[in-house]
Amino acid sequence: MKRLLLGTAAIIVLAAPAFAADLPPRPYTKAPAYTVPQVVYNWTGFYIGGHVGGAFAGDNSLQGSDGRFLGGVQGGFDYQFANSWVIGAEAQYSWLTGNSNSGVLLPSGALVSGNTDQLGSVTGRLGYAWGPTLLYGKGGYAWRDNPNFGVSFGGTPVAFTTDGNHRDGYTLGAGLEYMFAPNWSAKLEYQYYNFGNTTFTSPASVAGARFQDDEHTVKAGLNYRFGWGGPVATRY
């Protein structure tokens, strides 16, 4: 049996070259070209961040026309749907430096002043994304701290009343956000705050004086995105 197996193996070894020679030539197939994977950006998830910028009061305001520095924080959540649309909500809070306006001198000799140094908002956001870029609009509730109104005669403060504290209002804005790295995005945003108008009701020397309560702001911000809806992926 051992001799039979050895003989069979020898026949196979000797016959293999001849059998291979009878096979048709193997066709050459070119390897497919390498395709660079396409990055797919996902805006869904929670985020937190900070911002800096400037605030500019509107016409007929006790804040004065000079710009003021602001800085603050924000946080929110976005949800991407229908491939490119993004809807979300955001809370934002800003601190403002004191204004350089000393007040408005009325014909009666009374000096009235105001200084809003904190602004907040809770807004909805709706935007359209293409790749790492998001263009959005926003709007909702706005809040400010005590506007710090004051009335004085010859440098001496006097008691006064107004038609309300006008701490609640609305805000509208728009911005452009760019995802420059996984989990990180930068934004440039305009936001307008309106708290109506304040009318002084006493004393008689300032009664009827009416001033607008609004702010125009421009902010540059940075957000860290937690990627709740999944990390940035690649598409081949």
Side-chain angles (χ1 to χ4, degrees), residues 80-86 127-130 134:
Q80 187 168 347
F81 65 99
N83 294 327
S84 297
W85 290 97
V86 178
Y128 185 84
W130 60 98
L134 173 66

Side-chain angles (χ1 to χ4, degrees), residues 130-222:
W130 60 98
T133 306
L134 173 66
L135 179 65
Y136 64 88
K138 61 187 296 187
Y141 168 76
W143 175 90
R144 66 174 178 171
D145 72 326
N146 189 323
N148 301 313
F149 292 135
V151 178
S152 63
F153 281 92
T156 302
V158 298
F160 66 92
T161 59
T162 68
D163 62 345
N165 58 27
H166 296 276
R167 298 177 67 175
D168 302 304
Y170 70 89
T171 181
L172 297 171
L176 188 68
E177 193 164 356
Y178 183 78
M179 195 180 298
F180 62 90
N183 300 107
W184 289 98
S185 64
K187 69 174 183 177
L188 185 64
E189 178 181 278
Y190 165 79
Q191 190 167 353
Y192 172 71
Y193 299 81
N194 189 298
F195 302 96
N197 297 280
T198 295
T199 301
F200 287 84
T201 55
S202 71
S205 56
V206 299
R210 188 169 184 256
F211 299 93
Q212 188 172 350
D213 303 319
D214 62 349
E215 299 279 357
H216 301 265
T217 64
V218 178
K219 308 166 189 173
L222 185 67

Side-chain angles (χ1 to χ4, degrees), residues 10-194:
I11 293 173
I12 293 173
V13 170
L14 293 175
F19 179 77
D22 293 335
L23 293 176
R26 184 177 182 181
Y28 172 74
T29 303
K30 185 178 180 180
Y34 174 74
T35 302
V36 179
Q38 178 185 358
V39 178
V40 178
Y41 293 89
N42 186 356
W43 289 90
T44 297
F46 291 95
Y47 63 89
I48 58 172
H51 60 267
V52 295
F56 307 86
D59 297 335
N60 192 33
S61 170
L62 289 174
Q63 305 292 332
S65 58
D66 293 337
R68 289 164 290 151
F69 175 82
L70 66 80
V73 294
Q74 71 270 349
F77 174 79
D78 285 326
Y79 176 73
Q80 187 168 347
F81 65 99
N83 294 327
S84 297
W85 290 97
V86 178
I87 190 170
E90 182 180 83
Q92 190 174 109
Y93 201 86
S94 303
W95 291 267
L96 289 73
T97 58
N99 64 60
S100 59
N101 183 30
S102 59
V104 176
L105 185 63
L106 300 179
S108 63
L111 181 69
V112 293
S113 61
N115 180 26
T116 298
D117 57 11
Q118 297 175 52
L119 293 171
S121 65
V122 177
T123 60
R125 298 205 319 170
L126 178 64
Y128 185 84
W130 60 98
T133 306
L134 173 66
L135 179 65
Y136 64 88
K138 61 187 296 187
Y141 168 76
W143 175 90
R144 66 174 178 171
D145 72 326
N146 189 323
N148 301 313
F149 292 135
V151 178
S152 63
F153 281 92
T156 302
V158 298
F160 66 92
T161 59
T162 68
D163 62 345
N165 58 27
H166 296 276
R167 298 177 67 175
D168 302 304
Y170 70 89
T171 181
L172 297 171
L176 188 68
E177 193 164 356
Y178 183 78
M179 195 180 298
F180 62 90
N183 300 107
W184 289 98
S185 64
K187 69 174 183 177
L188 185 64
E189 178 181 278
Y190 165 79
Q191 190 167 353
Y192 172 71
Y193 299 81
N194 189 298

